Amino acid sequence: MKQMRTISFAHMLTYTSDVAESLAEVLVGDSGGAFSHVMYATSGSEAVESAIKLARQYHISKGDEGRTEYISRFEAYHGNTLGALSAGYMKSRRKPFEGMLCPGYHHVSAYSPSEQEVLDVTEYVHRLLQEMENMFHSIGPERVAAVLIEPVSGATLGCVPATSAYLAGVRRLCNKYGALLIYDEVMCGMGRVGTTHAWQSLGGCAPDIQTIGKGLAGGYQPLSAVLTVPKIHQIMRDFDAGASFVHGHTYQGHGLGCAAALAVQAFIRDHHLLENVRTQGVLLGSLLHRLDSHPHVANVRGIGLFFGVQFVEDKIANRPFDHPINTRVIKECFDVGLAVYPCSSVDAILFAPPFIVNSEEITTMVNIFTGVLGNIAQL
Ligand code: PMP
């Protein structure tokens, strides 16, 4: 209400606003020196779309006009607009639009080790990085604009954190071939894993461009953003001091969105909620891991308040159910008071409770879930 009485909307292609600038200062400040600039959007999809286009314009500014290609990963979700949908690989959402997806997106395997591969994760990471390097070569490394990945995959694979060795390896490949590294932290970022950015909990390897959304304004208003390291802005300014990113949306940097995000971020800071995410995350993980021996639980994985549980019909043979059971689990949980989220590429659900959750609530959540799985065991 206070923001609406001050100013709700200033068209950011022409004007700026105190609230948008204050939020940008907080976001840059919270990045530990990684990021220097912020561009706002409204949804996660718009942020991803902006990041993709920004990478392209950066290379044009550098005189590297040939870089039009992107490497992203199978089983990723980056949003529903055409560029983001083409970069991702959520089959169900792509299917009706197959004929009109954008060219220039090349998919490699996502980070999602099997039980066997977890046992030799070094070899697994080596294989994935080799596959990505091969992809650079088959495209032509001088044509790759950026690699786009989620450090912790969310909606599709269900909370699979990449290892620091994998993220550092992807960073090395991008540096070696002159491509930018884009992290999509729309789901896993802004505190969800216990640090402001997920990569800060996964070895500290920063990207060049990063998207954030969801938790940024905590759902009180729609707001997303693209964060960039200094060289993006510098090189674009060197190219043409008066030029700016050729992109924009009417409602970017909307005053209400920025005011909501400022309030949410201040609340997180003042109430030490990242600490709570880490503490409650340890409890959530340890309680969920008690289900490791459940006959239909294939795997529990996650970090912070972001955990996935994957189901199998036959654990020994590692055989999935013919018809995924996650929608049934979700319905049964909901009927008794627990909301869990469906994963789309695997038969899994994910837990992503609010940052203010307490130990009692975490215990209740896992008890409800365990009860529902008890019914499933009698299938
Ligand atoms: N990227 C990721 C990683 C996401 O999880 C999502 C939404 N689930 C998006 C992008 C798209 O965000 P939105 O739905 O706000 O467009």
Side-chain angles (χ1 to χ4, degrees), residues 67-81:
R67 292 188 184 267
T68 52
E69 308 300 295
Y70 292 80
I71 299 177
S72 52
R73 304 184 306 177
F74 290 115
E75 293 163 333
Y77 184 65
H78 295 299
N80 268 326
T81 49

Side-chain angles (χ1 to χ4, degrees), residues 42-48 76-81 84 90 93 150 152-156 184-188 211 213-214 223-224 306 341:
T42 311
S43 68
S45 305
E46 276 175 40
V48 170
Y77 184 65
H78 295 299
N80 268 326
T81 49
M90 195 194 272
R93 296 230 174 145
E150 276 178 277
V152 186
S153 61
T156 45
D184 180 357
E185 290 214 2
V186 166
M187 197 163 190
C188 63
T211 57
K214 299 193 195 280
L223 187 76
S224 63
F306 202 38
Y341 184 98

Side-chain angles (χ1 to χ4, degrees), residues 36 147 168 207 272 299:
S36 59
V147 172
H272 310 289
N299 181 287

Side-chain angles (χ1 to χ4, degrees), residues 28-328:
V28 166
D30 280 352
S31 75
F35 302 120
S36 59
H37 287 76
V38 180
M39 191 208 118
Y40 296 112
T42 311
S43 68
S45 305
E46 276 175 40
V48 170
E49 207 74 29
S50 309
I52 291 168
K53 290 173 70 182
L54 185 59
R56 170 72 184 140
Q57 200 180 322
Y58 164 86
H59 288 298
I60 293 173
S61 300
K62 271 185 86 199
D64 230 350
E65 299 246 356
R67 292 188 184 267
T68 52
E69 308 300 295
Y70 292 80
I71 299 177
S72 52
R73 304 184 306 177
F74 290 115
E75 293 163 333
Y77 184 65
H78 295 299
N80 268 326
T81 49
L82 281 174
L85 194 63
S86 309
Y89 215 87
M90 195 194 272
K91 283 190 193 142
S92 54
R93 296 230 174 145
R94 282 169 65 105
K95 199 164 186 291
F97 308 104
E98 281 295 352
M100 55 186 286
L101 293 177
C102 308
Y105 293 92
H106 307 266
H107 298 87
V108 294
S109 303
Y111 186 95
S112 177
S114 66
E115 294 297 296
Q116 204 52 39
E117 285 160 336
V118 166
L119 298 177
D120 191 354
V121 78
T122 311
E123 157 59 23
Y124 175 68
V125 167
H126 178 76
R127 214 165 356 107
L128 287 187
L129 294 175
Q130 193 58 58
E131 181 189 344
M132 191 176 277
E133 186 154 22
N134 292 345
M135 184 57 92
F136 267 99
H137 285 292
S138 75
I139 298 166
E142 71 294 345
R143 296 180 59 224
V144 180
V147 172
L148 167 62
I149 61 175
E150 276 178 277
V152 186
S153 61
T156 45
L157 289 171
C159 308
V160 187
T163 58
S164 57
Y166 174 78
L167 295 177
V170 175
R171 174 79 270 178
R172 267 197 310 278
L173 289 176
C174 289
N175 293 352
K176 183 171 172 186
Y177 296 117
L180 293 176
L181 176 57
I182 305 174
Y183 283 166
D184 180 357
E185 290 214 2
V186 166
M187 197 163 190
C188 63
M190 295 316 291
R192 174 54 55 202
V193 310
T195 43
T196 302
H197 304 303
W199 54 264
Q200 292 168 324
S201 292
L202 301 170
C205 202
D208 299 303
I209 299 177
Q210 182 177 313
T211 57
I212 53 175
K214 299 193 195 280
L216 172 59
Y220 290 93
Q221 286 288 322
L223 187 76
S224 63
V226 179
L227 309 173
T228 65
V229 296
K231 76 171 177 187
I232 305 287
H233 184 255
Q234 269 157 18
I235 284 184
M236 287 168 68
R237 272 293 140 97
D238 287 351
F239 177 69
D240 178 352
S244 55
F245 182 26
V246 186
H247 186 71
H249 297 279
T250 303
Y251 291 124
Q252 73 189 56
H254 195 279
L256 291 192
C258 293
L262 261 182
V264 166
Q265 296 310 314
F267 192 93
I268 290 174
R269 187 185 59 240
D270 296 346
H271 295 79
H272 310 289
L273 290 190
L274 293 188
E275 206 176 306
N276 192 54
V277 170
R278 293 193 289 272
T279 311
Q280 301 306 333
V282 169
L283 176 64
L284 176 62
S286 70
L287 294 179
L288 286 176
H289 274 297
R290 289 189 189 161
L291 293 165
D292 282 343
S293 55
H294 188 282
H296 295 305
V297 170
N299 181 287
V300 171
R301 67 287 172 121
I303 178 170
L305 285 177
F306 202 38
F307 266 84
V309 180
Q310 190 167 334
F311 308 114
V312 271
E313 176 154 33
D314 184 332
K315 203 160 173 163
I316 294 156
N318 195 22
R319 195 182 64 244
F321 284 97
D322 289 340
H323 300 288
I325 60 164
N326 59 353
T327 41
R328 177 179 160 199

